[in-house]
């Protein structure tokens, strides 16, 4: 059975943009700086994105007042969540996993600018964030 990577080209492009940001900026800044830099890099690479797109949570068919905003939605199908931490925690994985479940999107990228080397994880909605 062939092991197909979900949104392979799109995730390659997004991760490449994040690597460029990390190469230029380095580590040690706060998350909003990396959000601004990644937004500019996505724009330079003509990668379609929405920053902090607003989603409403639906509970048993009723839209709730509470909202959530992933850092980026790229290609209208990939959730991108940025962190600047020493290590990912279960809460970081759960956040992206839950965003995928709530939006119906097929791939989440959890990207960490908090280390000397860029760290990223691919998260699928039908798995327990260990892909």
């Amino acid at each position: 059975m062939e092991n197909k990577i979900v949104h392979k080209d799109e995730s390659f492009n997004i991760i490449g943009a994040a690597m460029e940001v990390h190469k230029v900026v380095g580590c040690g800044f706060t998350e909003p700086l990396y959000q601004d830099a990644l937004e500019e890099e996505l724009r330079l690479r003509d990668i379609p994105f929405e920053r902090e797109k607003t989603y409403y949570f639906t509970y048993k068919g009723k839209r709730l007042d509470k909202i959530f905003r992933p850092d980026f939605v790229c290609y209208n199908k990939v959730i991108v969540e940025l962190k600047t931490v020493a290590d990912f925690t279960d809460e970081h994985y759960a956040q992206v996993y839950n965003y995928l479940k709530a939006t119906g999107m097929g791939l989440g990228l959890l990207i960490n600018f908090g280390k000397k080397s860029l760290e990223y994880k691919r998260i699928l909605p039908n798995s327990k964030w260990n892909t």
Side-chain angles (χ1 to χ4, degrees):
M1 182 175 180
E2 183 181 327
N3 189 9
K4 185 178 181 239
I5 298 175
V6 175
H7 304 317
K8 179 180 179 181
D9 293 336
E10 293 88 345
S11 60
F12 178 82
N13 292 339
I14 296 163
I15 292 164
M19 287 180 171
E20 178 65 12
V21 168
H22 193 276
K23 182 176 96 176
V24 172
V25 176
C27 66
F29 290 97
T30 61
E31 189 176 309
L33 183 132
Y34 294 105
Q35 290 171 334
D36 288 351
L38 184 59
E39 178 177 350
E40 183 59 24
E41 190 62 32
L42 293 172
R43 189 173 286 115
L44 289 170
R45 293 174 182 233
D46 292 323
I47 296 173
F49 71 92
E50 292 181 70
R51 182 169 172 182
E52 297 181 344
K53 182 176 180 177
T54 299
Y55 290 94
Y56 289 89
F57 191 80
T58 303
Y59 180 77
K60 294 187 175 184
K62 182 180 184 317
R63 188 179 102 173
L64 304 179
D65 291 334
K66 297 298 178 192
I67 60 172
F68 61 97
R69 290 187 176 108
D71 290 331
F72 293 93
V73 175
C74 296
Y75 298 100
N76 205 28
K77 57 183 159 184
V78 180
I79 297 276
V80 179
E81 192 63 29
L82 307 184
K83 301 296 177 195
T84 55
V85 294
D87 292 299
F88 288 135
T89 66
D90 284 347
E91 288 79 14
H92 299 137
Y93 294 113
Q95 178 185 18
V96 176
Y97 181 75
N98 287 331
Y99 284 178
L100 292 174
K101 287 192 328 184
T103 63
M105 293 200 189
L107 176 65
L109 294 175
L110 182 57
I111 300 175
N112 184 13
F113 288 95
K115 293 186 168 195
K116 287 185 180 182
S117 295
L118 186 78
E119 180 181 26
Y120 62 89
K121 297 290 182 185
R122 296 171 49 84
I123 301 170
L124 301 174
N126 59 352
S127 66
K128 181 81 177 193
W129 63 68
N130 59 354
T131 62

